[in-house]
Amino acid sequence: MSESQSFPIDKIRVPEKMRHALKPEIVEELAESILEVGQREAILVRREKDHFVLVEGLHRLEACKALGEGAIIGQLISAEAARQRDLPPAPIDPEREKMERLKKLRLEKEAAEKLANTSRAVSDADAATRRRAHAETTSRSKLTANSKPSRQERGSPPRTLSDWIKQQERSGGRY
Protein backbone atom coordinates (compact mmCIF):
# COMPACT_ATOMS: atom_id res chain seq x y z
CA MET A 1 0.00 0.00 0.00
CA SER A 2 1.06 3.53 -0.60
CA GLU A 3 1.50 6.31 1.91
CA SER A 4 -1.44 8.30 3.22
CA GLN A 5 -2.14 11.52 1.34
CA SER A 6 -4.84 14.14 1.14
CA PHE A 7 -7.64 13.71 -1.43
CA PRO A 8 -10.24 16.34 -2.39
CA ILE A 9 -13.63 15.13 -1.15
CA ASP A 10 -15.49 16.45 -4.23
CA LYS A 11 -13.32 14.22 -6.49
CA ILE A 12 -14.27 10.99 -4.62
CA ARG A 13 -17.22 9.03 -6.02
CA VAL A 14 -19.08 6.55 -3.79
CA PRO A 15 -20.39 3.37 -5.52
CA GLU A 16 -24.17 2.95 -5.35
CA LYS A 17 -23.90 -0.45 -3.62
CA MET A 18 -21.87 1.13 -0.84
CA ARG A 19 -24.40 3.93 -0.23
CA HIS A 20 -26.97 1.39 1.00
CA ALA A 21 -24.72 0.51 3.95
CA LEU A 22 -24.63 4.11 5.24
CA LYS A 23 -25.77 4.53 8.86
CA PRO A 24 -26.32 8.16 9.94
CA GLU A 25 -25.74 7.44 13.65
CA ILE A 26 -22.25 6.12 12.89
CA VAL A 27 -21.52 9.20 10.77
CA GLU A 28 -22.49 11.44 13.72
CA GLU A 29 -20.25 9.53 16.14
CA LEU A 30 -17.31 9.66 13.72
CA ALA A 31 -17.83 13.39 13.10
CA GLU A 32 -17.65 14.05 16.86
CA SER A 33 -14.53 11.89 17.14
CA ILE A 34 -12.86 13.66 14.19
CA LEU A 35 -13.60 17.03 15.81
CA GLU A 36 -12.00 15.91 19.08
CA VAL A 37 -8.97 13.87 17.95
CA GLY A 38 -8.83 14.16 14.18
CA GLN A 39 -9.04 11.47 11.53
CA ARG A 40 -7.24 8.37 12.82
CA GLU A 41 -7.70 5.96 9.91
CA ALA A 42 -7.22 6.72 6.24
CA ILE A 43 -9.86 5.82 3.67
CA LEU A 44 -8.99 3.69 0.66
CA VAL A 45 -9.59 4.95 -2.88
CA ARG A 46 -8.67 3.83 -6.38
CA ARG A 47 -8.07 6.04 -9.42
CA GLU A 48 -10.60 6.08 -12.25
CA LYS A 49 -10.00 8.57 -15.09
CA ASP A 50 -10.26 12.08 -13.62
CA HIS A 51 -11.69 11.12 -10.20
CA PHE A 52 -11.31 8.57 -7.37
CA VAL A 53 -13.64 5.74 -6.36
CA LEU A 54 -14.12 4.95 -2.67
CA VAL A 55 -13.08 1.40 -1.74
CA GLU A 56 -13.29 1.61 2.05
CA GLY A 57 -14.23 4.32 4.57
CA LEU A 58 -17.75 5.43 3.66
CA HIS A 59 -18.66 6.63 7.16
CA ARG A 60 -15.35 8.51 7.57
CA LEU A 61 -15.89 10.23 4.20
CA GLU A 62 -19.46 11.23 5.08
CA ALA A 63 -18.35 12.49 8.52
CA CYS A 64 -15.72 14.73 6.90
CA LYS A 65 -18.33 15.99 4.39
CA ALA A 66 -20.71 16.77 7.28
CA LEU A 67 -17.96 18.75 9.00
CA GLY A 68 -17.45 20.78 5.83
CA GLU A 69 -13.92 19.49 5.16
CA GLY A 70 -12.57 19.99 1.65
CA ALA A 71 -10.09 17.09 1.80
CA ILE A 72 -9.69 13.75 3.54
CA ILE A 73 -6.70 11.57 4.37
CA GLY A 74 -6.61 8.40 2.30
CA GLN A 75 -4.48 5.83 0.55
CA LEU A 76 -4.47 5.16 -3.17
CA ILE A 77 -4.68 1.47 -4.10
CA SER A 78 -4.72 -0.26 -7.47
CA ALA A 79 -7.92 -1.44 -9.13
CA GLU A 80 -6.70 -5.04 -8.75
CA ALA A 81 -6.16 -4.62 -5.01
CA ALA A 82 -9.62 -3.02 -4.76
CA ARG A 83 -11.21 -6.06 -6.45
CA GLN A 84 -9.44 -8.43 -4.08
CA ARG A 85 -10.73 -6.65 -0.98
CA ASP A 86 -13.74 -8.22 0.65
CA LEU A 87 -17.01 -6.68 -0.39
CA PRO A 88 -19.47 -5.82 2.34
CA PRO A 89 -21.77 -8.77 3.02
CA ALA A 90 -24.92 -8.80 0.96
CA PRO A 91 -28.05 -7.99 2.91
CA ILE A 92 -29.72 -11.13 4.23
CA ASP A 93 -32.90 -12.16 2.48
CA PRO A 94 -35.71 -11.62 5.03
CA GLU A 95 -37.55 -14.73 3.86
CA ARG A 96 -34.46 -16.88 4.26
CA GLU A 97 -33.78 -15.38 7.68
CA LYS A 98 -37.36 -16.20 8.73
CA MET A 99 -36.97 -19.80 7.52
CA GLU A 100 -33.69 -20.16 9.44
CA ARG A 101 -35.37 -18.86 12.61
CA LEU A 102 -38.30 -21.27 12.17
CA LYS A 103 -35.93 -24.19 11.61
CA LYS A 104 -34.00 -23.28 14.76
CA LEU A 105 -37.24 -23.04 16.79
CA ARG A 106 -38.45 -26.39 15.44
CA LEU A 107 -35.17 -28.09 16.37
CA GLU A 108 -35.28 -26.56 19.87
CA LYS A 109 -38.87 -27.75 20.32
CA GLU A 110 -37.99 -31.28 19.18
CA ALA A 111 -35.04 -31.38 21.57
CA ALA A 112 -37.25 -30.18 24.45
CA GLU A 113 -39.89 -32.83 23.65
CA LYS A 114 -37.26 -35.55 23.47
CA LEU A 115 -35.86 -34.45 26.84
CA ALA A 116 -39.35 -34.39 28.36
CA ASN A 117 -40.11 -37.89 27.01
CA THR A 118 -36.82 -39.23 28.37
CA SER A 119 -37.47 -37.63 31.76
CA ARG A 120 -40.99 -39.06 31.81
CA ALA A 121 -39.68 -42.56 30.97
CA VAL A 122 -37.07 -42.38 33.73
CA SER A 123 -39.69 -41.09 36.18
CA ASP A 124 -42.08 -43.92 35.24
CA ALA A 125 -39.32 -46.50 35.68
CA ASP A 126 -38.45 -45.07 39.11
CA ALA A 127 -42.11 -45.20 40.15
CA ALA A 128 -42.42 -48.83 39.01
CA THR A 129 -39.28 -49.74 40.96
CA ARG A 130 -40.66 -48.05 44.08
CA ARG A 131 -44.01 -49.85 43.68
CA ARG A 132 -42.25 -53.23 43.36
CA ALA A 133 -40.08 -52.53 46.41
CA HIS A 134 -43.14 -51.47 48.43
CA ALA A 135 -45.07 -54.57 47.33
CA GLU A 136 -42.17 -56.84 48.33
CA THR A 137 -41.84 -55.16 51.71
CA THR A 138 -45.59 -55.39 52.31
CA SER A 139 -45.76 -59.06 51.30
CA ARG A 140 -42.77 -59.93 53.54
CA SER A 141 -44.38 -58.23 56.52
CA LYS A 142 -47.67 -60.08 55.88
CA LEU A 143 -45.83 -63.40 55.67
CA THR A 144 -44.04 -62.68 58.91
CA ALA A 145 -47.25 -61.72 60.67
CA ASN A 146 -49.17 -64.82 59.47
CA SER A 147 -46.46 -67.43 59.95
CA LYS A 148 -45.96 -69.41 63.13
CA PRO A 149 -43.11 -68.32 65.29
CA SER A 150 -40.02 -70.42 64.87
CA ARG A 151 -38.73 -72.64 67.64
CA GLN A 152 -36.23 -69.95 68.60
CA GLU A 153 -38.93 -67.25 68.69
CA ARG A 154 -41.05 -69.45 70.90
CA GLY A 155 -38.13 -70.03 73.17
CA SER A 156 -37.14 -73.34 74.68
CA PRO A 157 -39.84 -75.94 75.38
CA PRO A 158 -41.61 -75.45 78.68
CA ARG A 159 -40.09 -77.44 81.53
CA THR A 160 -43.02 -77.35 83.84
CA LEU A 161 -46.76 -77.41 83.53
CA SER A 162 -47.00 -73.86 84.83
CA ASP A 163 -44.53 -72.67 82.10
CA TRP A 164 -46.62 -74.44 79.44
CA ILE A 165 -49.84 -72.72 80.66
CA LYS A 166 -48.17 -69.28 80.62
CA GLN A 167 -46.92 -69.93 77.13
CA GLN A 168 -50.39 -70.92 75.97
CA GLU A 169 -51.89 -67.77 77.54
CA ARG A 170 -49.35 -65.52 75.79
CA SER A 171 -50.00 -67.08 72.39
CA GLY A 172 -53.77 -66.97 72.85
CA GLY A 173 -54.08 -70.71 72.78
CA ARG A 174 -56.56 -72.74 74.76
CA TYR A 175 -55.58 -75.38 77.24
Side-chain angles (χ1 to χ4, degrees):
M1 275 199 195
S2 64
E3 279 189 35
S4 295
Q5 54 186 331
S6 182
F7 293 94
I9 290 178
D10 61 343
K11 294 274 187 181
I12 300 173
R13 187 179 64 78
V14 178
E16 197 60 38
K17 284 183 180 179
M18 212 181 257
R19 286 192 189 281
H20 296 295
L22 186 65
K23 296 182 180 169
E25 61 274 2
I26 295 176
V27 172
E28 286 179 35
E29 287 177 25
L30 278 172
E32 288 175 16
S33 174
I34 290 171
L35 276 176
E36 290 175 15
V37 294
Q39 183 182 346
R40 290 188 206 165
E41 250 183 273
I43 65 169
L44 298 179
V45 293
R46 66 179 170 82
R47 184 178 300 279
E48 188 175 283
K49 298 181 185 173
D50 62 339
H51 62 274
F52 301 98
V53 177
L54 183 68
V55 175
E56 185 179 290
L58 173 66
H59 291 97
R60 285 171 274 168
L61 177 68
E62 293 299 323
C64 285
K65 277 184 187 177
L67 292 172
E69 296 288 330
I72 187 168
I73 298 171
Q75 291 180 344
L76 185 63
I77 62 172
S78 69
E80 186 178 317
R83 274 188 234 107
Q84 290 176 354
R85 295 197 62 82
D86 293 336
L87 295 174
I92 297 173
D93 179 25
E95 194 63 32
R96 182 177 179 157
E97 189 175 312
K98 181 179 176 183
M99 294 305 290
E100 290 290 329
R101 239 186 357 251
L102 288 173
K103 180 180 177 182
K104 182 180 175 188
L105 288 172
R106 181 179 50 83
L107 291 174
E108 288 174 357
K109 181 181 176 186
E110 288 174 0
E113 287 174 352
K114 188 174 182 179
L115 181 63
N117 289 340
T118 304
S119 297
R120 197 175 306 120
V122 168
S123 175
D124 291 347
D126 286 347
T129 303
R130 277 188 254 122
R131 282 193 299 271
R132 275 195 303 272
H134 180 69
E136 288 174 6
T137 306
T138 306
S139 64
R140 266 191 252 127
S141 63
K142 284 181 182 177
L143 284 174
T144 307
N146 292 336
S147 64
K148 292 184 178 180
S150 66
R151 184 157 181 94
Q152 237 177 0
E153 289 174 350
R154 284 182 284 169
S156 57
R159 293 187 183 190
T160 63
L161 181 59
S162 126
D163 289 340
W164 181 81
I165 293 173
K166 287 179 187 173
Q167 185 183 28
Q168 290 297 316
E169 287 174 348
R170 276 193 303 252
S171 65
R174 295 183 76 192
Y175 55 92

